[in-house]
Amino acid sequence: MARNDKIPKERTLDSSLALLSEGYLFIPNRCKKFQSNIFQTRLLGGQKVICISGEEAARIFYDREKFKRKGAAPKRIQESLFGKNGVQTLDGKEHQHRKRMFMSLMTPERLKILIKLTVEQWELAARKWENTKEIVLFDEAREIMCRVACLWAGVPLKEKEVTQRATDLSDMIDAFGAVGPRYWKGRQARNRSDKWIGDIIRQVRSDKMDAPVDTALYTMAWYRDLDGKLLNLQIATVELLNIVRPIVAIARYITFGALALHDYPETRKKLQDHSQHYGQLFVQEVRRFYPFGPFLGARVRQDFIWEDCHFTKGTMVLLDIYGINHSPDLWEDPDNFLPERFNDWKGSPFDFVPQGGGDYIKGHRCAGEWITIEVMKTSLAFLTQKLAYDVPKQDLSISMVRMPAIPKSRFVMRGIKVK
């Protein structure tokens, strides 16, 4: 662990309860208290942890010579969100080999297909909404995203299964920062999803089901590891879910986007003008402004010194995702929603990290970030250009304690008409 007294330290046996009670603000609160972008605390049963924040902290955190992901994700997170032995837990050549599998799916042609599917599914859903008194956008968006994800990935999805599959995938995400019933709900959802996807891959491999060659289903079913062997069924299942699940997670960002349109009505007209450029700015600001990922973890690969502090091999380190995206050192007026700020953004992979930072190809930056941006742009353009609706009085507050966050009412819409 750190052997340098210059690191501010919390004098506590375990701050896990404080983390649960402060949520996204746990690290920012202590950085402010200590007037430092680095401090030491105890979490996860009294384990010593170093928390870091800021652009330079992100740059260090994504240095593959200094940090590794193996052993960083708690078992409870692997058993609900990531799955065991997924790409997020790998390092070195094995990670790069597996990451190439994901990046091979992010071609311009495949992204065009994804956008087309997204438009089609919004149109189909909207026609049904016209005959409904009200809808809850988050619930509807996650079903739309589940349909899109399965169609795009080549995963067969029966109509009668849609609600259950979308709910399960959403519950897996919802278990991330949960304890008690919400966590166990996510664990059960994970088990059902593993069985569902595992059975499909098994059928593809036994030639009982066809998988289009350019889909994620085909890729995961037939991908080979560094030794030239097919990925074992458990890993192939995890990785296919690591394609489908994050697309369903975009429903959260879409809901935040609708909230932004409601809270900042001046932005709606700009989106309605069909400005692709403004759409990009708006989506990026939604991703920066609203709480999505609170922090990420890694372990020190080898001893090193940073900020006059000694990091020892094996130490758990948490990078403050929310705090970096709201840092006054990096963003002017960070607590206001200002899409135009991205006109001047230089595209650094370390000062804007809503889904992680670093390099796409060799590093651990989310392979699906491009998907998130394009699906959000398409979805929010549909909400502004193709729909008319009312937003009734409701509780749209966002708890900074609940991880992952979502408006309390999930965004209720009434009187929907397709333009």
Side-chain angles (χ1 to χ4, degrees), residues 273-317:
D273 288 339
H274 300 261
S275 169
Q276 282 289 322
H277 176 65
Y278 186 78
Q280 178 82 11
L281 303 183
F282 183 86
V283 162
Q284 295 292 59
E285 181 67 347
V286 168
R287 296 173 68 231
R288 184 201 70 83
F289 184 77
Y290 292 98
F292 193 73
F295 47 74
L296 291 169
R299 290 195 179 274
V300 177
R301 182 182 294 277
Q302 58 185 11
D303 291 11
F304 70 93
I305 295 174
W306 179 68
E307 293 288 303
D308 294 326
C309 297
H310 192 104
F311 289 73
T312 303
K313 181 179 179 180
T315 301
M316 172 67 84
V317 175

Side-chain angles (χ1 to χ4, degrees), residues 7-50:
I7 296 182
K9 297 180 178 65
E10 277 203 295
R11 305 299 178 183
T12 178
L13 293 177
D14 196 309
S15 292
S16 296
L17 288 178
L19 172 59
L20 291 174
S21 66
E22 296 176 48
Y24 288 87
L25 299 178
F26 175 79
I27 299 178
N29 283 345
R30 281 150 187 78
C31 287
K32 185 175 181 180
K33 172 186 174 182
F34 293 125
Q35 292 294 294
S36 172
N37 279 339
I38 178 172
F39 67 89
Q40 178 183 307
T41 188
R42 289 180 180 272
L43 297 168
L44 307 171
Q47 177 183 173
K48 291 180 180 179
V49 176
I50 293 179

